[in-house]
Amino acid sequence: MIETGLTRRILITLRLLALAPAFALGLPAQWLALRLAPPLARWMPVYFHRYLLKVLGVRVVRRGEADRRSPLLITANHLSWLDIIVISSLRPVSFIAKSEVGEWPVFGTLARLQRSVFVERQRRGKTAEVNRTIATRLESGDALVLFAEGTTSDGRRVLPFRSALIGAAQAASGRNEGASYIQPLNIAYPKIGGLPIGRGDHPHIAWHGDMDLVPHLADLLTLPGIECRVTFLTAREVGPGSDRKSLTREIEAEIRTTHARTLRGEGL
């Protein structure tokens, strides 16, 4: 399925050449928009990421709709850096990312330009402070995306969700004296080249564990076509008295079931 030899080198070169103008023009434009036209800066990443998907040969099929109520925390599973491009192409969002991401070349710059919230996941004592920061962003009308597994999976399964940062939605509802909303989102890649993905094909898309990034990127650039299924599930109303851990388990179970059904081809 992955091209080799001369064909591989040609494909990688052509796609990199097609991506270069988007980065050369898009990143400075977003930097200026953040300072001079914040409303425009919310939408520019949507079109930037749609272009990236076109070049990469990724077709996104959406089921359900993003909830338009606010404050909104979108809670998703996580397989790859590609998830960020896919979700960002659907609506204006920012991401809750681990602090290390902000230091990565290219990815860190992109995250900052999209106004990501960086958290130190290993410092549990700072959870309340982080939740207040996230709640403030939610109250301002920003839709934030939380990858609740805390890391990427191998693509075949959904890892256990962490409940700590979901408390930010409760903090937002408490300060607003009203409800806030959490919307589960499942992202899956059921087909490559028009064929159902096999067990051995998941590493071509999922980036997890100790996988080296550069070879992984090179492989993905040679894939014949990727189908991504994004499923927006029903948003839940959250209040100060909501049971955070119980809510996390419910969302995790719903996303896990949806993920398995999507990979089996049910409802496609």
Side-chain angles (χ1 to χ4, degrees):
M1 189 170 292
I2 292 180
E3 298 290 349
T4 58
L6 180 60
T7 302
R8 174 185 176 87
R9 291 194 291 273
I10 291 174
L11 277 172
I12 291 174
T13 300
L14 290 176
R15 282 182 164 167
L16 287 176
L17 287 173
L19 290 170
F23 285 90
L25 299 175
L27 271 60
Q30 176 69 359
W31 184 86
L32 285 172
L34 284 171
R35 285 152 181 77
L36 304 177
L40 177 63
R42 288 171 56 85
W43 278 99
M44 284 182 62
V46 174
Y47 299 105
F48 173 79
H49 288 103
R50 286 179 182 175
Y51 177 78
L52 297 191
L53 291 175
K54 188 174 182 64
V55 173
L56 295 173
V58 179
R59 185 173 77 95
V60 178
V61 180
R62 182 180 63 192
R63 291 185 290 182
E65 295 291 336
D67 202 292
R68 295 299 174 181
R69 292 174 294 182
S70 180
L72 178 67
L73 178 66
I74 299 171
T75 306
N77 61 310
H78 194 19
L79 297 81
S80 172
W81 53 270
L82 188 57
D83 303 343
I84 295 168
I85 300 177
V86 169
I87 297 171
S88 296
S89 74
L90 299 175
R91 62 162 293 173
V93 295
S94 296
F95 292 85
I96 301 170
K98 57 186 180 182
S99 56
E100 302 95 284
V101 173
E103 301 171 1
W104 293 353
V106 183
F107 288 96
T109 300
L110 291 171
R112 288 191 295 274
L113 288 174
Q114 204 164 346
R115 301 172 62 238
S116 295
V117 178
F118 297 106
V119 302
E120 298 179 59
R121 291 184 181 270
Q122 304 306 318
R123 298 182 63 179
R124 294 180 179 272
K126 300 198 72 173
T127 298
E129 178 184 338
V130 170
N131 279 348
R132 286 193 294 271
T133 300
I134 296 171
T136 299
R137 287 286 299 277
L138 293 173
E139 291 165 8
S140 72
D142 289 337
L144 297 183
V145 178
L146 170 67
F147 293 120
E149 293 159 295
T151 186
T152 49
S153 73
D154 61 8
R156 295 184 291 110
R157 58 198 174 116
V158 173
L159 302 176
F161 281 14
R162 301 180 180 184
S163 65
L165 296 183
I166 288 180
Q170 288 180 296
S173 64
R175 285 157 51 165
N176 275 345
E177 297 184 354
S180 59
Y181 304 91
I182 294 182
Q183 184 169 29
L185 181 150
N186 174 243
I187 186 165
Y189 300 88
K191 293 183 180 180
I192 299 178
L195 300 174
I197 192 167
R199 180 179 293 269
D201 297 325
H202 285 286
H204 300 329
I205 299 173
W207 181 51
H208 64 102
D210 297 324
M211 294 175 65
D212 291 329
L213 179 59
V214 174
H216 173 73
L217 285 171
D219 286 345
L220 190 140
L221 287 171
T222 67
L223 292 175
I226 300 169
E227 181 180 295
C228 177
R229 293 269 172 168
V230 176
T231 305
F232 284 99
L233 301 162
T234 303
R236 289 163 164 79
E237 187 174 305
V238 182
S242 298
D243 186 329
R244 173 172 50 86
K245 292 186 177 181
S246 177
L247 178 62
T248 302
R249 289 194 297 270
E250 290 176 11
I251 291 173
E252 177 189 328
E254 188 174 10
I255 290 178
R256 179 174 285 114
T257 298
T258 303
H259 193 72
R261 292 186 61 193
T262 301
L263 292 183
R264 289 197 300 265
E266 297 179 16
L268 300 186

